[in-house]
Amino acid sequence: MNFTFNIYAILLLIFGSITLALAFFIYKKGGNAVRWFSLMMLSNSIWSVAYAFELASSDISQIKALLNIEYIGIATLPLNWFLFCLHFSGKECWYKKPVNLILILIFPIITILMVWTNSYHHLHYASYKMATDAPFPMIDLTPGIWYRIFTIYFYLIMASGCFLLWMKFRKSDPIFRKQNYSLIIAAAIPWIANITYLTGIRPLGYVDVTPFAYVITCFIILTGIYKFKLFDIIPLAREKVLELMQDGFFVLDKDYRIIDYNQSIKRYINYTDGTKLIGTTLERFFPNQPSFLNILKTYKAGKVEMEVVVNEITLYLEADVIFLNGNKMNNDFIIIKLQDLTAYKTEAIRTKEQAIELERLNQLKDRIFSIIAHDLRGPLVNLSEVLKMITNDQISIEEFKGIAPTLSKDIIYTTDLLENILHWSRSQLKGYGINKEVFDLRNLIINEINYHLPGANLKKIKIIHDVFPGQMAYADMLMIQIVVRNILNNAIKFCSQDCEIHITAAYQDQNKILVCIQDDGIGIKESVLKRLFKDENITTRGTLNEKGTGLGLLVCKDFMQRNDGDVTVTSTEGKGTKFCITMPIGDI
């Protein structure tokens, strides 16, 4: 290739190189908007440098080859400018739609292909010839139909970018307005130069002054970088800021209708695809929140907490209500910010429940120690003293026989108490497992009846069961045995002579089996009945002055809950008591 550089070519080559260096410098400065601007400057530098070599060429075929390179920059320049403006104004989601992306890409691609294949169709340039009336050899181009189409596209997309900047910054902070003005002025200068060239106002003859205009553009951008901190401070779009926020925002009109919102709000309401939000009253989404709606209707700004159910999940929200009155805007508006407090509330509830449970366990621990210190220790001390007196011949055989029944009752009581304490304590150990199995309920009940027959015969109590063979249950057999034993023991304890105890079992709905132990004893007072199963120390002596600890029913309630069952009681004072337990059934 042969080149004869003139002053125009040298200037373009120098400032095109500066533009290229500036593009790489800006690219390293940061975000997407900055990088799109640097790509636009890269397009400028390609155009300027290639045009500089064109002005230094005298061979038409060489000039055509350089035109092919120039149009890589010319065709991509408006595209990069428009993408920069979209990012800078926070509208980048626009080009991510396939249809819009095709619309802005198709013209640069077709234009480059048209220029590269122009010798076959002459749609972009109708003719080429070397000008003879210029101060140095230059090409004279006659525009074709596609050249005019591309020119319209070029100016439309450049104007759209400037419009986005203008709309973005017309009410912005002064520092941002200076950025905006510097960008628009920098973009406008090459426009003016290109328009004068196309309209025939050509002070340099056939020389296209558009690339030279970028010399001024470079200085303006450099001034913007160092004076106005161009690209160091870039404002974020309102839409982008709101969409990035985790809190939900509603904007309402004076009739409490939704006129704006951000996407995060959809997590705090029962929203489905296609649900219309704009124009809908807020009460539709928060129908059972009188405190929240009352703040709106009384026109009082403030915060209120709400508990809402969204997609069957309970959320705890804090609504911050702000009113914008006519002194600030043309109409009255309401801004509502919804903040998710679910994690904090859940943690607070869990901490409170743990505190309550810890207090309950401490009270229970104190009760058990009290029982061990008094009720458990007392009978053992009595037995020890009696045995010591027998050893020392301080009491006779006849006297021992007289106190033996009392000692026997104390030992039975102590044994039952100790058994309950041991079983309950073991169940409270961390890592204690429940050994669920399928077992024959009738056999378990018969064994417990046989265990209690001596005590029942002593009071002439009849124990009648109506449990059919083959009725199977699925639970921890040892736990159910302890429950039945405690309930049956209480029934005997509170029955008078010649009473009857009936035990029945029947299948229920939801794969449950119901076992009831009913007596016609003295019953339970209503005041005592309300306090059962509530972790209170309730002890009542039986009909023969039998002692109790109040621990047995607590163990029963705990064990049944651990086995996915329950225990209930009904009683009428003077007529008797009925205890019922439910547990899952088992397959034979």
Side-chain angles (χ1 to χ4, degrees), residues 376-396:
L376 189 60
R377 180 177 176 273
L380 294 176
V381 170
N382 292 338
L383 179 60
S384 174
E385 291 298 323
V386 170
L387 292 175
K388 186 184 298 183
M389 293 171 69
I390 293 175
T391 303
N392 297 329
D393 294 325
Q394 293 177 337
I395 60 173
S396 64

Side-chain angles (χ1 to χ4, degrees), residues 391-419:
T391 303
N392 297 329
D393 294 325
Q394 293 177 337
I395 60 173
S396 64
I397 297 299
E398 289 73 17
E399 289 175 328
F400 178 74
K401 288 181 179 179
I403 62 175
T406 302
L407 289 175
S408 178
K409 289 180 182 179
D410 286 345
I411 294 302
I412 292 173
Y413 163 78
T414 303
T415 302
D416 290 341
L417 174 59
L418 185 60
E419 185 177 0

Side-chain angles (χ1 to χ4, degrees), residues 16 18-20 22-23 26 36-46 77 80 217-218 221 231:
I18 293 174
T19 304
L20 180 63
L22 193 59
I26 294 174
W36 281 115
F37 192 86
S38 67
L39 291 176
M40 183 197 72
M41 296 193 70
L42 177 62
S43 299
N44 293 340
S45 63
I46 293 173
L77 186 147
N80 290 330
T217 298
C218 291
I221 294 173
F231 304 134

Side-chain angles (χ1 to χ4, degrees), residues 272-284:
T272 56
D273 292 340
T275 300
K276 182 181 178 182
L277 293 180
I278 301 298
T280 305
T281 58
L282 192 67
E283 191 172 359
R284 173 185 171 186

Side-chain angles (χ1 to χ4, degrees), residues 79-122:
L79 174 64
N80 290 330
W81 166 256
F82 184 65
L83 292 175
F84 158 72
C85 293
L86 285 174
H87 275 273
F88 202 74
S89 58
K91 304 286 187 181
E92 66 271 18
C93 58
W94 183 88
Y95 76 83
K96 293 180 180 179
K97 297 178 181 179
V99 175
N100 295 340
L101 184 61
I102 291 173
L103 284 175
I104 60 176
L105 285 178
I106 191 169
F107 282 96
I109 294 173
I110 292 177
T111 299
I112 292 173
L113 293 176
M114 284 287 189
V115 173
W116 289 358
T117 60
N118 189 74
S119 59
Y120 299 101
H121 49 71
H122 298 285

Side-chain angles (χ1 to χ4, degrees), residues 63 150 467 564:
I63 292 175
F150 175 72
V467 183
D564 301 321

